[in-house]
Amino acid sequence: MGGSKAAGGKGKPGLSTGVPTATVADSDAAVGADASGTSSSSGKSSASGKSSSKPSTAASGASSSGATGGSGSTLTAAQLKPLLLTDKDDPGYTFDAARDETSTTDTPEKVTVGGAACQAFIDAQDALSTKYGTVAEADRQLDKKAENHVIRDSIAVMPSPDKAAAMIADVTAGLHACKSLTMADDSDQVQMAFDPIPQLIKDGQVGYVNTMTIGGNQLLAAVEVDQVGSTISEIALVGPMTTDTTTLQQMGATLAHLGQLQVQRIKAAQGQ
């Protein structure tokens, strides 16, 4: 779900890195197809996400993560798709359900610069099935083409709440141990730099800003990951690099709102 999908590799819309399949002029190269499909993908992101570029969630009441409360029932991939975000959740975005993906990621995305800590971070963001035992996943990409903005949405089911908690813990630890990394996607070098979003780091939840450089283009992604029992919700808002305060605050508010919305849907589906 995360890293590779979010960033764009050859798989579904992953969120970890949050790279859209089409966000900048040559976003095709910039993205992998996390949102489209196969298990492995590569995240693209980069640059140095300075604190000034972190979307503020304070004003939006940071989405309370659902987090760990009760394991609830285990959901199948078919049950996950109706829980994903739609154009009604954030007017102006569109999506094609035919592009939704339901495969898990079983092949690690190769981190070329950053070492073992960064590889572990990307594996966690991808909900790597060989590490966490991911049993089901659904991924979707929503686009606002006029503004070159993308929402990467992913829900994954682990075999137990402990496995889901382990993934959240690994993402959180990765934000401290891996400040930047480099990956290769086809002919493009992808660089990413990460900054935690303090308001979104708590039990069962982690959020961060991913600044990416792909083929000379810079993108900014704000990512929120929540645990709901044995299920993981991951949402990434991706767009052109910006330091505009109003835009960043709106991004933070939107991320918090959408994260909370999806968490509540998962809880209801699990009978919580």
PDB file of all heavy atoms in Angstrom, residues 3-14 17-24 26-36 41-45 99 141 150 152 185-186 188 190 212 214-215 219 238:
ATOM      1  N   GLY A   3       4.631   2.851   0.495  1.00  0.00           N
ATOM      2  CA  GLY A   3       5.745   3.366  -0.258  1.00  0.00           C
ATOM      3  C   GLY A   3       5.625   3.208  -1.711  1.00  0.00           C
ATOM      4  O   GLY A   3       5.570   4.134  -2.474  1.00  0.00           O
ATOM      5  N   SER A   4       5.687   2.060  -2.165  1.00  0.00           N
ATOM      6  CA  SER A   4       5.729   1.941  -3.570  1.00  0.00           C
ATOM      7  C   SER A   4       4.450   2.339  -4.198  1.00  0.00           C
ATOM      8  O   SER A   4       4.378   2.954  -5.218  1.00  0.00           O
ATOM      9  CB  SER A   4       6.035   0.530  -3.941  1.00  0.00           C
ATOM     10  OG  SER A   4       4.961  -0.252  -3.724  1.00  0.00           O
ATOM     11  N   LYS A   5       3.404   1.981  -3.615  1.00  0.00           N
ATOM     12  CA  LYS A   5       2.175   2.301  -4.274  1.00  0.00           C
ATOM     13  C   LYS A   5       1.934   3.763  -4.288  1.00  0.00           C
ATOM     14  O   LYS A   5       1.405   4.316  -5.209  1.00  0.00           O
ATOM     15  CB  LYS A   5       1.069   1.635  -3.537  1.00  0.00           C
ATOM     16  CG  LYS A   5       1.354   0.198  -3.515  1.00  0.00           C
ATOM     17  CD  LYS A   5       0.390  -0.531  -2.716  1.00  0.00           C
ATOM     18  CE  LYS A   5       0.753  -1.931  -2.576  1.00  0.00           C
ATOM     19  NZ  LYS A   5      -0.017  -2.668  -1.756  1.00  0.00           N
ATOM     20  N   ALA A   6       2.239   4.332  -3.210  1.00  0.00           N
ATOM     21  CA  ALA A   6       1.998   5.736  -3.163  1.00  0.00           C
ATOM     22  C   ALA A   6       2.849   6.441  -4.132  1.00  0.00           C
ATOM     23  O   ALA A   6       2.545   7.485  -4.624  1.00  0.00           O
ATOM     24  CB  ALA A   6       2.324   6.217  -1.802  1.00  0.00           C
ATOM     25  N   ALA A   7       3.968   5.980  -4.354  1.00  0.00           N
ATOM     26  CA  ALA A   7       4.856   6.684  -5.201  1.00  0.00           C
ATOM     27  C   ALA A   7       4.821   6.280  -6.606  1.00  0.00           C
ATOM     28  O   ALA A   7       5.156   6.997  -7.472  1.00  0.00           O
ATOM     29  CB  ALA A   7       6.212   6.414  -4.742  1.00  0.00           C
ATOM     30  N   GLY A   8       4.533   5.250  -6.921  1.00  0.00           N
ATOM     31  CA  GLY A   8       4.421   4.984  -8.291  1.00  0.00           C
ATOM     32  C   GLY A   8       5.404   4.012  -8.726  1.00  0.00           C
ATOM     33  O   GLY A   8       6.544   4.238  -8.874  1.00  0.00           O
ATOM     34  N   GLY A   9       5.096   2.888  -8.924  1.00  0.00           N
ATOM     35  CA  GLY A   9       6.050   1.969  -9.405  1.00  0.00           C
ATOM     36  C   GLY A   9       5.308   1.198 -10.361  1.00  0.00           C
ATOM     37  O   GLY A   9       4.671   1.718 -11.173  1.00  0.00           O
ATOM     38  N   LYS A  10       5.251  -0.052 -10.272  1.00  0.00           N
ATOM     39  CA  LYS A  10       4.484  -0.737 -11.241  1.00  0.00           C
ATOM     40  C   LYS A  10       3.270  -1.309 -10.624  1.00  0.00           C
ATOM     41  O   LYS A  10       2.781  -2.269 -11.101  1.00  0.00           O
ATOM     42  CB  LYS A  10       5.305  -1.846 -11.772  1.00  0.00           C
ATOM     43  CG  LYS A  10       6.610  -1.374 -12.175  1.00  0.00           C
ATOM     44  CD  LYS A  10       6.649  -1.068 -13.536  1.00  0.00           C
ATOM     45  CE  LYS A  10       7.858  -0.679 -14.076  1.00  0.00           C
ATOM     46  NZ  LYS A  10       8.450   0.297 -14.231  1.00  0.00           N
ATOM     47  N   GLY A  11       2.799  -0.850  -9.519  1.00  0.00           N
ATOM     48  CA  GLY A  11       1.731  -1.519  -8.880  1.00  0.00           C
ATOM     49  C   GLY A  11       0.556  -0.668  -8.601  1.00  0.00           C
ATOM     50  O   GLY A  11       0.232   0.195  -9.325  1.00  0.00           O
ATOM     51  N   LYS A  12      -0.132  -0.913  -7.537  1.00  0.00           N
ATOM     52  CA  LYS A  12      -1.335  -0.178  -7.228  1.00  0.00           C
ATOM     53  C   LYS A  12      -1.029   1.170  -6.704  1.00  0.00           C
ATOM     54  O   LYS A  12       0.079   1.521  -6.490  1.00  0.00           O
ATOM     55  CB  LYS A  12      -2.078  -0.891  -6.167  1.00  0.00           C
ATOM     56  CG  LYS A  12      -1.176  -1.724  -5.584  1.00  0.00           C
ATOM     57  CD  LYS A  12      -1.846  -2.674  -4.724  1.00  0.00           C
ATOM     58  CE  LYS A  12      -0.974  -3.782  -4.699  1.00  0.00           C
ATOM     59  NZ  LYS A  12      -1.142  -4.875  -4.243  1.00  0.00           N
ATOM     60  N   PRO A  13      -2.027   1.862  -6.383  1.00  0.00           N
ATOM     61  CA  PRO A  13      -1.760   3.174  -5.897  1.00  0.00           C
ATOM     62  C   PRO A  13      -1.235   3.042  -4.539  1.00  0.00           C
ATOM     63  O   PRO A  13      -1.993   2.894  -3.621  1.00  0.00           O
ATOM     64  CB  PRO A  13      -3.102   3.803  -5.841  1.00  0.00           C
ATOM     65  CG  PRO A  13      -4.042   2.718  -5.987  1.00  0.00           C
ATOM     66  CD  PRO A  13      -3.339   1.495  -6.385  1.00  0.00           C
ATOM     67  N   GLY A  14      -0.048   3.095  -4.336  1.00  0.00           N
ATOM     68  CA  GLY A  14       0.468   2.942  -3.021  1.00  0.00           C
ATOM     69  C   GLY A  14       0.416   4.251  -2.362  1.00  0.00           C
ATOM     70  O   GLY A  14       0.233   5.244  -2.969  1.00  0.00           O
ATOM     71  N   THR A  17       4.656   6.598  -0.360  1.00  0.00           N
ATOM     72  CA  THR A  17       5.403   7.747  -0.815  1.00  0.00           C
ATOM     73  C   THR A  17       4.489   8.769  -1.369  1.00  0.00           C
ATOM     74  O   THR A  17       4.820   9.906  -1.490  1.00  0.00           O
ATOM     75  CB  THR A  17       6.345   7.347  -1.884  1.00  0.00           C
ATOM     76  OG1 THR A  17       5.573   6.794  -2.875  1.00  0.00           O
ATOM     77  CG2 THR A  17       7.309   6.362  -1.377  1.00  0.00           C
ATOM     78  N   GLY A  18       3.393   8.380  -1.745  1.00  0.00           N
ATOM     79  CA  GLY A  18       2.431   9.311  -2.189  1.00  0.00           C
ATOM     80  C   GLY A  18       2.669   9.889  -3.532  1.00  0.00           C
ATOM     81  O   GLY A  18       2.244  10.971  -3.843  1.00  0.00           O
ATOM     82  N   VAL A  19       3.272   9.233  -4.431  1.00  0.00           N
ATOM     83  CA  VAL A  19       3.474   9.827  -5.738  1.00  0.00           C
ATOM     84  C   VAL A  19       2.324   9.515  -6.649  1.00  0.00           C
ATOM     85  O   VAL A  19       1.928   8.399  -6.788  1.00  0.00           O
ATOM     86  CB  VAL A  19       4.682   9.271  -6.413  1.00  0.00           C
ATOM     87  CG1 VAL A  19       4.826   9.882  -7.757  1.00  0.00           C
ATOM     88  CG2 VAL A  19       5.879   9.548  -5.572  1.00  0.00           C
ATOM     89  N   PRO A  20       1.754  10.525  -7.274  1.00  0.00           N
ATOM     90  CA  PRO A  20       0.601  10.332  -8.135  1.00  0.00           C
ATOM     91  C   PRO A  20       0.988   9.821  -9.484  1.00  0.00           C
ATOM     92  O   PRO A  20       2.046  10.097  -9.970  1.00  0.00           O
ATOM     93  CB  PRO A  20       0.053  11.721  -8.277  1.00  0.00           C
ATOM     94  CG  PRO A  20       1.148  12.607  -7.930  1.00  0.00           C
ATOM     95  CD  PRO A  20       2.159  11.857  -7.133  1.00  0.00           C
ATOM     96  N   THR A  21       0.092   9.134 -10.162  1.00  0.00           N
ATOM     97  CA  THR A  21       0.438   8.666 -11.485  1.00  0.00           C
ATOM     98  C   THR A  21       0.401   9.800 -12.470  1.00  0.00           C
ATOM     99  O   THR A  21       0.826   9.657 -13.593  1.00  0.00           O
ATOM    100  CB  THR A  21      -0.552   7.618 -11.951  1.00  0.00           C
ATOM    101  OG1 THR A  21      -1.828   8.085 -11.702  1.00  0.00           O
ATOM    102  CG2 THR A  21      -0.338   6.348 -11.219  1.00  0.00           C
ATOM    103  N   ALA A  22      -0.150  10.872 -12.128  1.00  0.00           N
ATOM    104  CA  ALA A  22      -0.125  11.987 -13.029  1.00  0.00           C
ATOM    105  C   ALA A  22      -0.260  13.249 -12.265  1.00  0.00           C
ATOM    106  O   ALA A  22      -1.314  13.698 -11.941  1.00  0.00           O
ATOM    107  CB  ALA A  22      -1.263  11.881 -13.997  1.00  0.00           C
ATOM    108  N   THR A  23       0.817  13.870 -11.953  1.00  0.00           N
ATOM    109  CA  THR A  23       0.725  15.078 -11.160  1.00  0.00           C
ATOM    110  C   THR A  23       1.472  16.219 -11.772  1.00  0.00           C
ATOM    111  O   THR A  23       1.145  17.358 -11.602  1.00  0.00           O
ATOM    112  CB  THR A  23       1.365  14.855  -9.798  1.00  0.00           C
ATOM    113  OG1 THR A  23       0.797  13.727  -9.229  1.00  0.00           O
ATOM    114  CG2 THR A  23       1.143  15.989  -8.900  1.00  0.00           C
ATOM    115  N   VAL A  24       2.532  15.900 -12.476  1.00  0.00           N
ATOM    116  CA  VAL A  24       3.295  16.953 -13.115  1.00  0.00           C
ATOM    117  C   VAL A  24       3.394  16.565 -14.570  1.00  0.00           C
ATOM    118  O   VAL A  24       3.016  15.502 -14.961  1.00  0.00           O
ATOM    119  CB  VAL A  24       4.705  17.015 -12.507  1.00  0.00           C
ATOM    120  CG1 VAL A  24       4.659  17.617 -11.146  1.00  0.00           C
ATOM    121  CG2 VAL A  24       5.330  15.668 -12.484  1.00  0.00           C
ATOM    122  N   ASP A  26       5.564  15.355 -16.622  1.00  0.00           N
ATOM    123  CA  ASP A  26       5.916  13.981 -16.910  1.00  0.00           C
ATOM    124  C   ASP A  26       5.724  13.104 -15.722  1.00  0.00           C
ATOM    125  O   ASP A  26       6.580  12.375 -15.356  1.00  0.00           O
ATOM    126  CB  ASP A  26       7.325  13.771 -17.456  1.00  0.00           C
ATOM    127  CG  ASP A  26       8.305  14.740 -17.064  1.00  0.00           C
ATOM    128  OD1 ASP A  26       8.055  15.336 -16.756  1.00  0.00           O
ATOM    129  OD2 ASP A  26       9.345  14.975 -17.070  1.00  0.00           O
ATOM    130  N   SER A  27       4.543  13.143 -15.165  1.00  0.00           N
ATOM    131  CA  SER A  27       4.272  12.329 -14.011  1.00  0.00           C
ATOM    132  C   SER A  27       4.259  10.869 -14.331  1.00  0.00           C
ATOM    133  O   SER A  27       4.433  10.051 -13.473  1.00  0.00           O
ATOM    134  CB  SER A  27       2.942  12.699 -13.437  1.00  0.00           C
ATOM    135  OG  SER A  27       1.960  12.409 -14.306  1.00  0.00           O
ATOM    136  N   ASP A  28       4.056  10.479 -15.564  1.00  0.00           N
ATOM    137  CA  ASP A  28       4.037   9.052 -15.873  1.00  0.00           C
ATOM    138  C   ASP A  28       5.342   8.441 -15.416  1.00  0.00           C
ATOM    139  O   ASP A  28       5.395   7.377 -14.848  1.00  0.00           O
ATOM    140  CB  ASP A  28       3.911   8.833 -17.382  1.00  0.00           C
ATOM    141  CG  ASP A  28       2.476   8.918 -17.766  1.00  0.00           C
ATOM    142  OD1 ASP A  28       1.659   8.767 -16.868  1.00  0.00           O
ATOM    143  OD2 ASP A  28       2.183   9.120 -18.923  1.00  0.00           O
ATOM    144  N   ALA A  29       6.410   9.140 -15.708  1.00  0.00           N
ATOM    145  CA  ALA A  29       7.684   8.608 -15.287  1.00  0.00           C
ATOM    146  C   ALA A  29       7.808   8.771 -13.815  1.00  0.00           C
ATOM    147  O   ALA A  29       8.421   8.001 -13.124  1.00  0.00           O
ATOM    148  CB  ALA A  29       8.765   9.407 -15.964  1.00  0.00           C
ATOM    149  N   ALA A  30       7.236   9.820 -13.324  1.00  0.00           N
ATOM    150  CA  ALA A  30       7.352  10.065 -11.920  1.00  0.00           C
ATOM    151  C   ALA A  30       6.605   9.103 -11.091  1.00  0.00           C
ATOM    152  O   ALA A  30       6.845   8.970  -9.944  1.00  0.00           O
ATOM    153  CB  ALA A  30       6.807  11.419 -11.645  1.00  0.00           C
ATOM    154  N   VAL A  31       5.677   8.462 -11.625  1.00  0.00           N
ATOM    155  CA  VAL A  31       4.915   7.582 -10.805  1.00  0.00           C
ATOM    156  C   VAL A  31       5.025   6.151 -11.191  1.00  0.00           C
ATOM    157  O   VAL A  31       5.249   5.843 -12.275  1.00  0.00           O
ATOM    158  CB  VAL A  31       3.489   7.876 -11.008  1.00  0.00           C
ATOM    159  CG1 VAL A  31       2.721   7.029 -10.110  1.00  0.00           C
ATOM    160  CG2 VAL A  31       3.276   9.309 -10.810  1.00  0.00           C
ATOM    161  N   GLY A  32       4.780   5.356 -10.407  1.00  0.00           N
ATOM    162  CA  GLY A  32       4.846   3.977 -10.729  1.00  0.00           C
ATOM    163  C   GLY A  32       3.533   3.539 -10.922  1.00  0.00           C
ATOM    164  O   GLY A  32       2.759   3.941 -11.158  1.00  0.00           O
ATOM    165  N   ALA A  33       2.937   2.677 -10.637  1.00  0.00           N
ATOM    166  CA  ALA A  33       1.577   2.566 -10.804  1.00  0.00           C
ATOM    167  C   ALA A  33       1.047   2.032  -9.619  1.00  0.00           C
ATOM    168  O   ALA A  33       0.297   1.180  -9.578  1.00  0.00           O
ATOM    169  CB  ALA A  33       1.338   1.663 -11.890  1.00  0.00           C
ATOM    170  N   ASP A  34       1.430   2.500  -8.623  1.00  0.00           N
ATOM    171  CA  ASP A  34       0.931   1.994  -7.411  1.00  0.00           C
ATOM    172  C   ASP A  34      -0.506   1.978  -7.453  1.00  0.00           C
ATOM    173  O   ASP A  34      -1.157   1.176  -6.897  1.00  0.00           O
ATOM    174  CB  ASP A  34       1.258   2.965  -6.351  1.00  0.00           C
ATOM    175  CG  ASP A  34       1.969   2.293  -5.344  1.00  0.00           C
ATOM    176  OD1 ASP A  34       2.980   1.731  -5.615  1.00  0.00           O
ATOM    177  OD2 ASP A  34       1.555   2.281  -4.282  1.00  0.00           O
ATOM    178  N   ALA A  35      -0.995   2.954  -8.008  1.00  0.00           N
ATOM    179  CA  ALA A  35      -2.382   3.008  -8.022  1.00  0.00           C
ATOM    180  C   ALA A  35      -2.919   2.089  -9.001  1.00  0.00           C
ATOM    181  O   ALA A  35      -4.065   1.893  -9.085  1.00  0.00           O
ATOM    182  CB  ALA A  35      -2.728   4.352  -8.413  1.00  0.00           C
ATOM    183  N   SER A  36      -2.163   1.505  -9.791  1.00  0.00           N
ATOM    184  CA  SER A  36      -2.742   0.667 -10.740  1.00  0.00           C
ATOM    185  C   SER A  36      -2.496  -0.733 -10.575  1.00  0.00           C
ATOM    186  O   SER A  36      -2.965  -1.539 -11.201  1.00  0.00           O
ATOM    187  CB  SER A  36      -2.197   0.999 -12.024  1.00  0.00           C
ATOM    188  OG  SER A  36      -0.989   0.592 -12.149  1.00  0.00           O
ATOM    189  N   SER A  41       5.927  -1.562  -6.328  1.00  0.00           N
ATOM    190  CA  SER A  41       5.883  -0.276  -6.949  1.00  0.00           C
ATOM    191  C   SER A  41       6.991   0.527  -6.382  1.00  0.00           C
ATOM    192  O   SER A  41       7.555   0.178  -5.422  1.00  0.00           O
ATOM    193  CB  SER A  41       4.679   0.487  -6.538  1.00  0.00           C
ATOM    194  OG  SER A  41       3.539   0.104  -6.876  1.00  0.00           O
ATOM    195  N   SER A  42       7.219   1.668  -6.887  1.00  0.00           N
ATOM    196  CA  SER A  42       8.265   2.347  -6.233  1.00  0.00           C
ATOM    197  C   SER A  42       7.856   3.709  -5.849  1.00  0.00           C
ATOM    198  O   SER A  42       7.250   4.403  -6.545  1.00  0.00           O
ATOM    199  CB  SER A  42       9.432   2.457  -7.099  1.00  0.00           C
ATOM    200  OG  SER A  42       9.288   3.131  -8.158  1.00  0.00           O
ATOM    201  N   GLY A  43       8.135   4.175  -4.730  1.00  0.00           N
ATOM    202  CA  GLY A  43       7.682   5.427  -4.261  1.00  0.00           C
ATOM    203  C   GLY A  43       8.551   6.502  -4.747  1.00  0.00           C
ATOM    204  O   GLY A  43       9.710   6.361  -4.814  1.00  0.00           O
ATOM    205  N   LYS A  44       7.949   7.606  -5.040  1.00  0.00           N
ATOM    206  CA  LYS A  44       8.789   8.681  -5.480  1.00  0.00           C
ATOM    207  C   LYS A  44       8.562   9.848  -4.604  1.00  0.00           C
ATOM    208  O   LYS A  44       7.479  10.198  -4.356  1.00  0.00           O
ATOM    209  CB  LYS A  44       8.374   9.056  -6.820  1.00  0.00           C
ATOM    210  CG  LYS A  44       8.041   7.813  -7.428  1.00  0.00           C
ATOM    211  CD  LYS A  44       8.181   7.720  -8.765  1.00  0.00           C
ATOM    212  CE  LYS A  44       8.142   6.490  -9.363  1.00  0.00           C
ATOM    213  NZ  LYS A  44       8.234   6.255 -10.504  1.00  0.00           N
ATOM    214  N   SER A  45       9.560  10.469  -4.243  1.00  0.00           N
ATOM    215  CA  SER A  45       9.316  11.556  -3.401  1.00  0.00           C
ATOM    216  C   SER A  45      10.580  12.276  -3.107  1.00  0.00           C
ATOM    217  O   SER A  45      11.503  11.949  -3.562  1.00  0.00           O
ATOM    218  CB  SER A  45       8.719  10.955  -2.229  1.00  0.00           C
ATOM    219  OG  SER A  45       8.789  11.435  -1.142  1.00  0.00           O
ATOM    220  N   ARG A  99      -9.796   1.188 -12.330  1.00  0.00           N
ATOM    221  CA  ARG A  99      -8.359   1.244 -12.040  1.00  0.00           C
ATOM    222  C   ARG A  99      -8.035   0.835 -10.604  1.00  0.00           C
ATOM    223  O   ARG A  99      -6.873   0.799 -10.210  1.00  0.00           O
ATOM    224  CB  ARG A  99      -7.832   2.663 -12.301  1.00  0.00           C
ATOM    225  CG  ARG A  99      -7.917   3.096 -13.757  1.00  0.00           C
ATOM    226  CD  ARG A  99      -7.425   4.531 -13.906  1.00  0.00           C
ATOM    227  NE  ARG A  99      -6.053   4.668 -13.471  1.00  0.00           N
ATOM    228  CZ  ARG A  99      -5.484   5.822 -13.094  1.00  0.00           C
ATOM    229  NH1 ARG A  99      -6.209   6.931 -13.079  1.00  0.00           N
ATOM    230  NH2 ARG A  99      -4.231   5.868 -12.719  1.00  0.00           N
ATOM    231  N   GLN A 141      -6.963   5.654  -6.727  1.00  0.00           N
ATOM    232  CA  GLN A 141      -6.428   6.996  -6.961  1.00  0.00           C
ATOM    233  C   GLN A 141      -7.548   7.913  -7.412  1.00  0.00           C
ATOM    234  O   GLN A 141      -8.342   7.571  -8.279  1.00  0.00           O
ATOM    235  CB  GLN A 141      -5.337   6.975  -8.030  1.00  0.00           C
ATOM    236  CG  GLN A 141      -4.816   8.382  -8.357  1.00  0.00           C
ATOM    237  CD  GLN A 141      -3.601   8.364  -9.260  1.00  0.00           C
ATOM    238  OE1 GLN A 141      -2.596   7.734  -8.947  1.00  0.00           O
ATOM    239  NE2 GLN A 141      -3.685   9.066 -10.379  1.00  0.00           N
ATOM    240  N   VAL A 150      -3.635  14.847  -6.453  1.00  0.00           N
ATOM    241  CA  VAL A 150      -4.032  13.441  -6.438  1.00  0.00           C
ATOM    242  C   VAL A 150      -4.250  12.986  -5.001  1.00  0.00           C
ATOM    243  O   VAL A 150      -3.546  13.432  -4.094  1.00  0.00           O
ATOM    244  CB  VAL A 150      -2.930  12.564  -7.084  1.00  0.00           C
ATOM    245  CG1 VAL A 150      -3.179  11.083  -6.826  1.00  0.00           C
ATOM    246  CG2 VAL A 150      -2.849  12.827  -8.588  1.00  0.00           C
ATOM    247  N   ARG A 152      -4.179   9.402  -3.013  1.00  0.00           N
ATOM    248  CA  ARG A 152      -3.872   7.980  -3.101  1.00  0.00           C
ATOM    249  C   ARG A 152      -4.461   7.346  -1.859  1.00  0.00           C
ATOM    250  O   ARG A 152      -4.110   7.711  -0.735  1.00  0.00           O
ATOM    251  CB  ARG A 152      -2.382   7.773  -3.124  1.00  0.00           C
ATOM    252  CG  ARG A 152      -1.688   8.495  -4.258  1.00  0.00           C
ATOM    253  CD  ARG A 152      -1.816   7.791  -5.549  1.00  0.00           C
ATOM    254  NE  ARG A 152      -0.589   7.296  -6.070  1.00  0.00           N
ATOM    255  CZ  ARG A 152      -0.581   6.354  -7.010  1.00  0.00           C
ATOM    256  NH1 ARG A 152      -1.672   5.808  -7.412  1.00  0.00           N
ATOM    257  NH2 ARG A 152       0.543   5.950  -7.539  1.00  0.00           N
ATOM    258  N   ASP A 185      13.420   4.165 -10.442  1.00  0.00           N
ATOM    259  CA  ASP A 185      12.199   3.696 -11.098  1.00  0.00           C
ATOM    260  C   ASP A 185      12.404   3.831 -12.594  1.00  0.00           C
ATOM    261  O   ASP A 185      12.402   4.919 -13.136  1.00  0.00           O
ATOM    262  CB  ASP A 185      10.998   4.519 -10.654  1.00  0.00           C
ATOM    263  CG  ASP A 185       9.718   4.062 -11.326  1.00  0.00           C
ATOM    264  OD1 ASP A 185       9.321   2.911 -11.101  1.00  0.00           O
ATOM    265  OD2 ASP A 185       9.124   4.853 -12.075  1.00  0.00           O
ATOM    266  N   ASP A 186      12.583   2.703 -13.267  1.00  0.00           N
ATOM    267  CA  ASP A 186      12.863   2.748 -14.695  1.00  0.00           C
ATOM    268  C   ASP A 186      14.046   3.677 -14.941  1.00  0.00           C
ATOM    269  O   ASP A 186      15.097   3.492 -14.382  1.00  0.00           O
ATOM    270  CB  ASP A 186      11.623   3.206 -15.471  1.00  0.00           C
ATOM    271  CG  ASP A 186      10.489   2.192 -15.368  1.00  0.00           C
ATOM    272  OD1 ASP A 186      10.793   1.001 -15.214  1.00  0.00           O
ATOM    273  OD2 ASP A 186       9.336   2.606 -15.427  1.00  0.00           O
ATOM    274  N   ASP A 188      14.202   6.885 -14.139  1.00  0.00           N
ATOM    275  CA  ASP A 188      14.225   8.034 -13.234  1.00  0.00           C
ATOM    276  C   ASP A 188      14.823   7.696 -11.881  1.00  0.00           C
ATOM    277  O   ASP A 188      14.615   6.615 -11.344  1.00  0.00           O
ATOM    278  CB  ASP A 188      12.807   8.566 -13.002  1.00  0.00           C
ATOM    279  CG  ASP A 188      12.271   9.320 -14.194  1.00  0.00           C
ATOM    280  OD1 ASP A 188      13.033  10.095 -14.774  1.00  0.00           O
ATOM    281  OD2 ASP A 188      11.103   9.109 -14.535  1.00  0.00           O
ATOM    282  N   VAL A 190      14.575   8.587  -8.047  1.00  0.00           N
ATOM    283  CA  VAL A 190      13.570   9.143  -7.152  1.00  0.00           C
ATOM    284  C   VAL A 190      14.205   9.417  -5.803  1.00  0.00           C
ATOM    285  O   VAL A 190      14.762   8.517  -5.174  1.00  0.00           O
ATOM    286  CB  VAL A 190      12.398   8.155  -6.973  1.00  0.00           C
ATOM    287  CG1 VAL A 190      11.366   8.746  -6.022  1.00  0.00           C
ATOM    288  CG2 VAL A 190      11.769   7.833  -8.314  1.00  0.00           C
ATOM    289  N   MET A 212       9.375  14.985  -2.589  1.00  0.00           N
ATOM    290  CA  MET A 212       9.954  14.103  -3.598  1.00  0.00           C
ATOM    291  C   MET A 212      10.546  14.863  -4.777  1.00  0.00           C
ATOM    292  O   MET A 212      10.022  15.903  -5.169  1.00  0.00           O
ATOM    293  CB  MET A 212       8.874  13.154  -4.132  1.00  0.00           C
ATOM    294  CG  MET A 212       8.208  12.335  -3.064  1.00  0.00           C
ATOM    295  SD  MET A 212       6.670  11.552  -3.662  1.00  0.00           S
ATOM    296  CE  MET A 212       5.467  12.830  -3.271  1.00  0.00           C
ATOM    297  N   ILE A 214      11.515  13.806  -8.637  1.00  0.00           N
ATOM    298  CA  ILE A 214      11.461  12.733  -9.618  1.00  0.00           C
ATOM    299  C   ILE A 214      11.741  13.316 -10.999  1.00  0.00           C
ATOM    300  O   ILE A 214      11.003  14.154 -11.488  1.00  0.00           O
ATOM    301  CB  ILE A 214      10.077  12.084  -9.644  1.00  0.00           C
ATOM    302  CG1 ILE A 214       9.683  11.655  -8.243  1.00  0.00           C
ATOM    303  CG2 ILE A 214      10.059  10.896 -10.593  1.00  0.00           C
ATOM    304  CD1 ILE A 214       8.223  11.317  -8.107  1.00  0.00           C
ATOM    305  N   GLY A 215      12.803  12.887 -11.607  1.00  0.00           N
ATOM    306  CA  GLY A 215      13.123  13.385 -12.932  1.00  0.00           C
ATOM    307  C   GLY A 215      13.208  14.897 -12.986  1.00  0.00           C
ATOM    308  O   GLY A 215      12.808  15.520 -13.964  1.00  0.00           O
ATOM    309  N   LEU A 219       7.546  17.198  -5.936  1.00  0.00           N
ATOM    310  CA  LEU A 219       6.178  16.975  -5.493  1.00  0.00           C
ATOM    311  C   LEU A 219       6.146  16.974  -3.975  1.00  0.00           C
ATOM    312  O   LEU A 219       7.143  16.683  -3.320  1.00  0.00           O
ATOM    313  CB  LEU A 219       5.659  15.615  -5.993  1.00  0.00           C
ATOM    314  CG  LEU A 219       5.604  15.382  -7.499  1.00  0.00           C
ATOM    315  CD1 LEU A 219       5.199  13.938  -7.782  1.00  0.00           C
ATOM    316  CD2 LEU A 219       4.605  16.330  -8.145  1.00  0.00           C
ATOM    317  N   VAL A 238      -1.269  14.359  -2.687  1.00  0.00           N
ATOM    318  CA  VAL A 238      -0.068  14.661  -3.460  1.00  0.00           C
ATOM    319  C   VAL A 238      -0.329  15.804  -4.430  1.00  0.00           C
ATOM    320  O   VAL A 238      -1.381  15.861  -5.080  1.00  0.00           O
ATOM    321  CB  VAL A 238       0.384  13.426  -4.273  1.00  0.00           C
ATOM    322  CG1 VAL A 238       1.765  13.664  -4.877  1.00  0.00           C
ATOM    323  CG2 VAL A 238       0.394  12.177  -3.407  1.00  0.00           C
TER     324      VAL A 238
END
